[in-house]
Amino acid sequence: MDRCDILVRGDGAVGAVAALALSRAGFDVALLGAAPTPGGAPAAADPRSYALNEASVSLLRSLKVWDAIPDAARTPVHDMRVEGDLPGARLDFSAWSEALPQLAWIVGAAELEGALREALRFAPHVRRVAAELPAALTVLAEGKASATRARLGVRMERQSYGHRAIAARLVADRPHAGLARQWFRSPDVLALLPIDQPVAGHGLALVWSLPDARAQALLALDAAAFEAELMAATDGAAGTLALAGARTDWPLAIGYAEPVCGPGWVLLGDAAHVVHPLAGQGLNLGFGDVVSLVEVLAEREPWRALGDERLLARHARRREAPVRTMGLLTDGLLHLFASEQPLVKELRNRGLGLVNRLPPLKHLFARQASGR
Ligand SMILES: Cc1cc2nc3c(=O)[nH]c(=O)nc-3n(C[C@H](O)[C@H](O)[C@H](O)COP(=O)(O)OP(=O)(O)OC[C@H]3O[C@@H](n4cnc5c(N)ncnc54)[C@H](O)[C@@H]3O)c2cc1C
């Protein structure tokens, strides 16, 4: 019977990158995507853009995916401004003062998907399969609602925030100048990320997370009314903003699968952990999982099988701290900025100003976020 070294289930960004990286490490890989829904309409292009850190970009470069993403769909972030919910409370980061070429890159989700699809077509040791193959190791990258994870009886400790993120592409009448902006508006968090699509120098990716009811109300508005809400929320600071496509929304939650591996299987990406997108780190964490798994498999003792539980537990131990730290950070920030208590409000806004005046602390945050 036909078999392979590693079966990757799930062909989202994490599954695709895992398949490419594992094949580059010399394994015979089979990649299994979700079965298409009979009679279902083709999925619409994902309008999101991801903030990718240096570690993720180097991984994509090493897999020859990075250069296949169109230039307009990967825009460097040179500056970042985070604003609180009291006047003047803000935190500024700049690549220049951190002596970095850029703080992060903003990459179109659909274009990244396209570049991954192309790379997979030419990857010598990856076969696309339509059904499960026997394998020494199964990598589960089926996303947050992984059915195979459920079949394995793995518990996903998941807590909904009762919030949704609205994502859309925008065009501003003012150049973005490589500046990523984020407003903590209690309880919503709004980010405008620079991306040279659809208009070079003027494109922005919106990620606006809000309580469910408010998000639904905003989604029900026509484009002009939605744009007016955006202008009010940003106080016109990024110029006049116009929608450049459809708005889509995602429910938000935090969750960790426990355990993330067992005999012959391992969970990667959103199948293993889900965090709030306010720090733009979910996919970066998933790519970090891939790097860790490839390293652990490459360093294994010659007699150890790929699906050896002890081997996979090494990977799980390496990933625990970065994943939990990011979960705590995003969750902590969200709760800190959701509080209506006047004292908490005063302190969080002062905290932003304080960090802004402490270059070593800022430096630490900037380095952490850029994945260096
Ligand atoms: C609004 C928003 C903004 C975000 N912004 C950022 C950001 O700026 N930076 C960042 O790093 N992260 C960001 N994230 C997080 C990021 O989107 C996710 O972490 C990432 O997409 C997870 O990728 P994945 O491949 O693990 O899962 P998915 O993208 O969910 O892919 C899972 C794949 O598995 C397939 N599948 C499902 N079930 C099966 C099955 N049974 N068999 C085979 N295949 C199956 C699915 O069809 C899908 O293709 C954001 C998230 C949201 C919601």
Side-chain angles (χ1 to χ4, degrees), residues 71-97:
D71 282 346
R74 38 169 216 188
T75 303
V77 176
H78 295 301
D79 296 282
M80 190 174 170
R81 176 168 300 165
V82 181
E83 292 181 57
D85 54 346
L86 285 179
R90 78 178 209 209
L91 182 51
D92 288 303
F93 295 101
S94 94
W96 182 79
S97 59

Side-chain angles (χ1 to χ4, degrees), residues 9-15 32-34 48-52 141-144 147-148 165 167 193 207 250 252 268-271 277 280-284:
R9 286 194 75 126
D11 56 356
V14 173
L32 175 62
R48 283 179 300 175
S49 296
Y50 299 126
L52 294 186
E142 295 178 350
K144 61 186 179 187
T148 312
L193 311 172
V207 186
W250 279 265
L252 300 180
L268 301 190
D270 277 17
Q281 290 295 330
L283 187 56
N284 289 307

